[in-house]
Amino acid sequence: MSQYIKGLSTEEVIKNKERYGTNELFKKTKSTFVSKIIDVFKEPMLLLLLCATVIYFIIGQFREGIVMLVFVSFVSAISFIQQWKTDKTMNELKNLVCAKVYVFRDGKKILINSSDLVPKDVVYISPGERIPADCEIIEVSNFQVDESALTGESEPVYKLCKQDITEDKDHWKRYMLYAGTLAVSGTCLALVKTIGLNTEYGKIGKSIYEIKDEPTPLEKKVGSLVKNLAKVGALLCFIVISLSYITSGNILKSIMAGITLAMAIIPEEFPVVLTVFLSMGAYRLAKKNVIMRKISAVETLGATTVLCVDKTGTITENKMKVKEVFSKDLGSIGLEKTDKKLALLSILSSETDSSDSLEKAILEQYSNKFSLAQLNALELYKKFDFDSKTKTMANIYIMDSEYYVAAKGSPEAILELTNLTDEEKLSIKLEFDKMASKGLRVLAFAEGNDSRILDSLNQYKLDFRGLIGFQDSPKAGVIDAVKGCNAAGIRVVMITGDYYKTAMAIGQEIGLRFSKRTITGDEIEKMDAYELREAVKECDVFSRVIPAHKMRIVKALKENGEIVAMTGDGVNDAPALKDSNIGIAMGKRGTEVAKEASDMIILDDSFTTIVDTVRDGRRIFTNIRKAMIYILIIHIPIVALALFSPMFNLPQILLPMHIMLLELIIDPTCSIIFELEPEEPNIMKQPPRSPKESLITQQMVKMTLLLGTTMFLSAFLPFHYLVDKGFSIEYARSFSLVVLLIGNMILVLVSSSGSKLLITQLLQSKNRIRTIVNIISVVTLLLIVYNPFLQVLFQTSSLELQTFTMAFILGLISTGWWEVVKCLRK
Ligand code: ADP
Ligand code: MG
């Protein structure tokens, strides 16, 4: 219907865009440069630094004050860059998920982002799409819209052209399409009237397309952890300030001790690690054809225990090929002979210009056997569209004074329409089962002549003509991917509308675990919730299932404690996608509605990509965990040192600038080095992590406390030993700093891999950033200990080579001992 439409020209589009703006249903709150800077200065760490600076200036230590100022600028620059990068990543992700729409421009039908739509554009809408703007209809065919999002009316509305409507007093016009509503069936050509906030939907101001950046379960957990730590920290600071004041009587010194402790204790790295890891994770996935609509899904992914996937198109190629033919007249004829009657019927029962892969296969096989004149001899009068519930479709043609019905569909359904005897049906069923057991998808064909036009196909009596078996092979890599899932303790469940024998044959071919059993849609209908829950425990093949059953399957699996990822593409899949823990929409085949309901979109519609994504989810989660544990461990000595010295009125080992220096090394370490850490080699050989398992298990807490304590003691005891022996505080401090920094370097290596040994980590790993950070920390360490200018600033003094070596070795041991434990465990 649409060849003659020109649509707007490029110049007109530009003009209209200038005049009306972009088609966005809600205003984006754009964060400005200034607001970002203000955000950075809201960080408590920065405020503490500023306080310390002010105190230095008050007590006249200008040099220290200036150094702190330098630190302040450094720290704020780093947080600023980090925030800017995260924002950029998020915006790029948001651009990827925006809805698309077909428009006519410069005489061509092109696909554009809905946000680029302008008034006077001509759009082409098909089922499953959200209406992108308020439009007036130009042409419709059987077009129905679900307007419940806007009007609350749950029945779909038939849309018509303006000239076909006699009376329409309602506010919602039958000839208009409204932004935000949903095309359910048919197709439509429409002229855009208003866009963005001026549409009826925009006026309500609800947003549909949006990456939801609500806090993830992990973020919530960590958030409360941070709050609790902050409370404890505040209490400790108060105690330290009062104790220090009582013992020393110097208020400014006491406050400084409090600030030092606060700086050590603030867990500002935790939230940073989470946002950086999750958004970078999503960003990396986007490069691999996976778009996360919900960032939190990255986290859930790694815990997936069941993957429910559609068969056709996800597991198989969805490229059908006619493989076997059974003709009523000629019997099993294979492809050598052709039953002309059956061949013609198969073509007549299909759409003329079909995108359906079964019908494409029919046309490919048989259209060259007939002349165009033969094919166009009959005039199409009526269609019964394919319906996944009845699993049949038919075309009705005008033939002389009668009508000719050409029908095809699932054999069970088609045989019901014929007047064959039970015996005949049984023998045909045997033929059909034979084909299905080979994994073929079987269609039955029937035809009939009738003088009446009836409401539904099942009111006709038809003559059976034959069966055609189509082959649709599993995609390359699927078998290996299923193997991978089995090893990783992830069940793969196949869901299909196909016949059970076909489904089981394919299930066995790709190696599903429970593929000797199947549950059909009819059986699901008859089961109650309890029975279904029991049944889904040991069945990986679901056949003759309609989308409504998918939701029940998801529910039953979830009630069994599984974490369910579910794929879907059609309008009817949306509820199941929403209900599953991770809804996966197909990027190519998927309708807009399915995408909207999903948590992530797989752009290449491929099963192997889904499995890869699970692997990434696991890697990201383990890296978050490693980073968190590292942060906890490294803070134990710092906090303990900042706490004990003032409490017992001992000389301060760590001054604010030392803590700053340590933080400057720790921050990039945890947010960059650990983010880059590759997956553990055995990551897909372990069962999924239990969703109930806490981020840091008890065993990890023990390890954290032990490692933290040894680090603390290695820095604390020698310091006081040296001071008691009569060495200067500066000298002893140099010693402790060497221990801490070297200990930290080893700690990063030790905690970045649970299975690999330190040596392999050092030699094989390609984590270049880690090498850079290591080199920087060693150079910094040498400068602080030996550079006269920095010695004054950091209140250190030179160590003899022998002492330095001792400190170095002590640092190695302080965290390296964990390596021995690892070896022994192996
Ligand atoms: P799937 O989950 O595999 O996509 P469908 O709902 O597409 O399942 O198909 C279910 C059944 O409906 C098929 O096994 C087949 O018997 C029948 N069927 C599918 N497509 C057509 C079609 N274009 N014409 C007639 N029957 C069809
Ligand atoms: Mg299908």
Side-chain angles (χ1 to χ4, degrees):
M1 66 177 175
S2 39
Q3 290 91 339
Y4 54 89
I5 293 180
K6 265 203 83 194
L8 294 178
S9 67
T10 313
E11 298 88 64
E12 286 169 314
V13 170
I14 294 169
K15 232 172 56 201
N16 283 2
K17 193 146 201 179
E18 259 167 31
R19 186 151 161 214
Y20 300 102
T22 52
N23 180 31
E24 276 162 341
L25 283 174
F26 56 100
K27 273 197 202 102
K28 273 193 192 141
T29 43
K30 266 223 173 99
S31 53
T32 59
F33 191 74
V34 179
S35 74
K36 271 185 201 152
I37 289 190
I38 291 176
D39 275 350
V40 168
F41 275 91
K42 277 191 202 146
E43 305 269 326
M45 184 53 111
L46 218 63
L47 294 178
L48 282 174
L49 275 178
L50 284 174
C51 284
T53 315
V54 170
I55 292 183
Y56 274 132
F57 278 119
I58 293 177
I59 56 179
Q61 298 187 358
F62 293 107
R63 211 175 31 214
E64 281 77 1
I66 288 168
V67 173
M68 286 310 275
L69 270 184
V70 173
F71 272 139
V72 169
S73 349
F74 220 74
V75 169
S76 35
I78 287 182
S79 354
F80 185 77
I81 291 172
Q82 212 157 30
Q83 251 191 33
W84 171 77
K85 237 184 101 186
T86 318
D87 280 2
K88 215 179 102 195
T89 320
M90 290 301 291
N91 278 336
E92 275 173 42
L93 286 177
K94 278 181 188 171
N95 281 338
L96 285 174
V97 296
C98 64
K100 309 254 192 249
V101 63
Y102 278 105
V103 295
F104 288 89
R105 283 183 181 171
D106 295 318
K108 275 188 238 116
K109 184 171 155 190
I110 53 170
L111 193 65
I112 61 163
N113 285 348
S114 291
S115 56
D116 292 330
L117 216 55
V118 294
K120 301 208 179 70
D121 257 329
V122 178
V123 290
Y124 176 82
I125 311 274
S126 44
E129 279 180 51
R130 282 268 175 222
I131 310 292
D134 287 0
C135 317
E136 187 178 324
I137 286 164
I138 304 172
E139 256 182 58
V140 273
S141 124
N142 218 354
F143 193 60
Q144 274 182 297
V145 179
D146 172 358
E147 295 190 333
S148 55
L150 197 57
T151 63
E153 170 64 52
S154 60
E155 280 294 305
V157 184
Y158 260 103
K159 291 291 177 178
L160 297 168
C161 291
K162 197 168 186 177
Q163 59 270 24
D164 298 334
I165 299 169
T166 39
E167 212 188 88
D168 199 353
K169 290 207 187 85
D170 198 9
H171 174 70
W172 307 107
K173 306 289 182 210
R174 293 277 296 278
Y175 60 87
M176 288 289 291
L177 301 179
Y178 297 101
T181 59
L182 173 62
V184 190
S185 67
T187 54
C188 158
L189 211 56
L191 182 71
V192 174
K193 288 280 177 186
T194 49
I195 60 168
L197 294 170
N198 294 324
T199 60
E200 297 291 331
Y201 203 91
K203 286 179 200 158
I204 311 175
K206 276 193 279 184
S207 68
I208 337 173
Y209 292 108
E210 175 175 25
I211 287 197
K212 301 169 202 124
D213 19 10
E214 62 199 45
T216 73
L218 205 56
E219 277 177 324
K220 278 185 212 149
K221 266 189 215 165
V222 171
S224 67
L225 178 71
V226 168
K227 255 189 218 139
N228 288 336
L229 280 180
K231 275 184 211 152
V232 175
L235 186 71
L236 283 178
C237 284
F238 178 74
I239 295 174
V240 161
I241 292 175
S242 353
L243 273 182
S244 165
Y245 183 63
I246 293 167
T247 46
S248 74
N250 181 340
I251 183 71
L252 280 177
K253 189 182 156 222
S254 313
I255 293 179
M256 201 57 141
I259 289 179
T260 313
L261 178 64
M263 277 168 62
I265 231 169
I266 291 181
E268 92 278 7
E269 292 95 344
F270 285 122
V272 174
V273 162
L274 270 190
T275 26
V276 170
F277 280 43
L278 292 177
S279 61
M280 279 308 287
Y283 183 74
R284 281 180 214 287
L285 284 171
K287 290 195 175 153
K288 296 193 204 166
N289 285 331
V290 181
I291 293 171
M292 305 306 298
R293 290 194 65 249
K294 224 160 134 193
I295 299 296
S296 62
V298 178
E299 180 191 317
T300 323
L301 258 178
T304 309
T305 58
V306 180
L307 271 177
C308 296
V309 275
D310 296 315
K311 176 175 77 70
T312 318
T314 309
I315 285 185
T316 63
E317 300 264 12
N318 199 16
K319 285 195 195 100
M320 310 277 171
K321 221 174 141 41
V322 175
K323 201 75 188 172
E324 289 192 16
V325 181
F326 172 80
S327 143
K328 188 190 155 210
D329 299 339
L330 308 174
S332 279
I333 49 174
L335 295 181
E336 303 83 53
K337 272 195 274 176
T338 311
D339 175 347
K340 277 238 169 185
K341 276 191 201 158
L342 176 59
L344 186 61
L345 168 59
S346 71
I347 295 176
L348 289 177
S349 61
S350 302
E351 306 260 354
T352 35
D353 180 20
S354 177
S355 58
D356 183 276
S357 49
L358 283 171
E359 299 187 345
K360 273 197 209 149
I362 292 174
L363 291 176
E364 194 172 303
Q365 188 70 27
Y366 293 125
S367 59
N368 58 0
K369 304 248 184 318
F370 301 96
S371 70
L372 259 155
Q374 278 173 304
L375 292 177
N376 294 331
L378 299 175
E379 187 191 334
L380 182 65
Y381 184 77
K382 184 183 166 90
K383 290 198 286 188
F384 290 111
D385 286 331
F386 175 71
D387 175 357
S388 62
K389 224 171 196 155
T390 62
K391 298 190 167 47
T392 53
M393 66 174 284
N395 287 328
I396 300 183
Y397 296 87
I398 301 174
M399 188 190 245
D400 304 328
S401 56
E402 279 191 325
Y403 298 106
Y404 169 67
V405 184
K408 71 175 183 326
S410 77
E412 305 104 299
I414 288 291
L415 287 181
E416 282 309 302
L417 305 177
T418 62
N419 36 26
L420 297 172
T421 65
D422 284 351
E423 228 166 285
E424 285 168 319
K425 280 184 189 165
L426 202 69
S427 76
I428 291 169
K429 187 160 179 303
L430 283 179
E431 292 298 326
F432 156 42
D433 275 0
K434 243 197 288 177
M435 288 189 198
S437 321
K438 294 178 197 157
L440 299 184
R441 181 171 230 204
V442 189
L443 285 188
F445 298 84
E447 62 189 348
N449 290 299
D450 209 301
S451 55
R452 303 159 298 165
I453 285 293
L454 301 169
D455 287 339
S456 75
L457 185 61
N458 62 21
Q459 291 169 308
Y460 287 98
K461 272 284 163 242
L462 303 176
D463 295 324
F464 174 73
R465 269 264 82 99
L467 304 169
I468 297 182
F470 300 82
Q471 188 174 41
D472 182 18
S473 318
K475 287 184 184 174
V478 165
I479 296 178
D480 284 335
V482 172
K483 255 192 215 138
C485 286
N486 287 341
I490 301 166
R491 243 175 85 194
V492 181
V493 169
M494 185 172 84
I495 298 182
T496 175
D498 246 336
Y499 184 58
Y500 76 94
K501 288 217 165 159
T502 312
M504 279 162 65
I506 299 277
Q508 265 150 37
E509 187 178 347
I510 62 168
L512 297 186
R513 249 172 76 209
F514 302 114
S515 57
K516 297 240 156 51
R517 215 173 294 174
T518 179
I519 299 177
T520 63
D522 287 341
E523 286 166 352
I524 294 179
E525 292 280 326
K526 287 188 201 112
M527 288 183 200
D528 63 23
Y530 172 78
E531 287 165 327
L532 187 59
R533 226 165 30 227
E534 289 303 307
V536 297
K537 278 184 185 159
E538 286 189 354
C539 174
D540 288 345
V541 178
F542 291 81
S543 53
R544 286 291 188 239
V545 155
I546 57 169
H549 296 143
K550 277 188 170 181
M551 210 166 94
R552 288 197 61 199
I553 299 172
V554 169
K555 235 196 195 124
L557 285 168
K558 270 171 73 180
E559 281 165 358
N560 286 342
E562 310 278 9
I563 302 286
V564 187
M566 163 78 87
T567 65
D569 47 25
V571 181
N572 306 331
D573 288 337
L577 288 178
K578 275 214 174 105
D579 230 42
S580 55
N581 299 88
I582 300 177
I584 305 173
M586 295 300 143
K588 284 190 198 154
R589 269 177 301 133
T591 54
E592 285 296 329
V593 182
K595 290 180 191 167
E596 243 174 62
S598 69
D599 300 305
M600 61 191 247
I601 304 171
I602 300 284
L603 292 181
D604 60 3
D605 291 17
S606 151
F607 177 69
T608 41
T609 308
I610 300 177
V611 179
D612 280 345
T613 316
V614 172
R615 174 197 298 268
D616 274 306
R618 287 189 176 190
R619 180 184 61 83
I620 293 166
F621 182 84
T622 359
N623 283 352
I624 290 180
R625 179 179 260 170
K626 284 176 189 166
M628 296 279 179
I629 291 179
Y630 162 74
I631 296 169
L632 284 176
I633 296 176
I634 190 67
H635 276 80
I636 291 177
I638 301 178
V639 171
L641 289 176
L643 186 65
F644 283 169
S645 312
M647 267 186 27
F648 304 113
N649 200 19
L650 300 168
Q652 285 266 87
I653 301 181
L654 295 181
L655 300 169
M657 53 185 64
H658 300 119
I659 293 190
M660 234 21 264
L661 182 81
L662 286 168
E663 297 284 349
L664 278 180
I665 294 175
I666 295 170
D667 265 11
T669 302
C670 59
S671 62
I672 302 173
I673 295 185
F674 283 91
E675 205 277 323
L676 284 172
E677 204 46 46
E679 66 201 30
E680 300 270 342
N682 58 351
I683 196 160
M684 287 302 261
K685 302 220 163 63
Q686 296 163 341
R689 115 186 98 94
S690 148
K692 283 188 213 109
E693 183 182 307
S694 51
L695 179 64
I696 295 165
T697 61
Q698 273 191 338
Q699 208 204 352
M700 293 169 193
V701 172
K702 271 186 218 152
M703 159 191 159
T704 307
L705 288 177
L706 273 173
L707 273 169
T709 314
T710 46
M711 273 189 100
F712 164 65
L713 292 179
S714 311
F716 186 75
L717 296 181
F719 179 86
H720 289 288
Y721 175 78
L722 288 173
V723 173
D724 286 346
K725 280 268 166 182
F727 288 95
S728 68
I729 292 182
E730 284 76 19
Y731 188 85
R733 182 177 288 129
S734 290
F735 192 95
S736 298
L737 282 176
V738 175
V739 173
L740 278 178
L741 279 166
I742 299 298
N744 174 58
M745 253 168 67
I746 302 299
L747 178 64
V748 175
L749 286 169
V750 171
S751 49
S752 58
S753 173
S755 56
K756 273 181 271 176
L757 293 182
L758 198 146
I759 297 295
T760 18
Q761 270 295 83
L762 251 183
L763 297 180
Q764 289 174 359
S765 163
K766 295 191 190 75
N767 204 329
R768 218 185 298 147
I769 305 278
R770 186 175 56 214
T771 317
I772 294 174
V773 172
N774 281 347
I775 291 171
I776 291 178
S777 21
V778 172
V779 171
T780 320
L781 182 62
L782 290 175
L783 284 177
I784 288 174
V785 177
Y786 292 108
N787 179 294
F789 176 70
L790 291 179
Q791 276 178 354
V792 181
L793 276 184
F794 284 90
Q795 308 193 17
T796 52
S797 71
S798 305
L799 300 174
E800 299 87 39
L801 184 65
Q802 206 188 354
T803 327
F804 186 89
T805 317
M806 264 168 61
F808 194 94
I809 292 175
L810 191 57
L812 283 181
I813 298 174
S814 72
T815 46
W817 65 268
W818 187 253
E819 197 61 17
V820 183
V821 177
K822 257 203 244 172
C823 284
L824 288 182
R825 275 213 195 127
K826 268 195 169 176

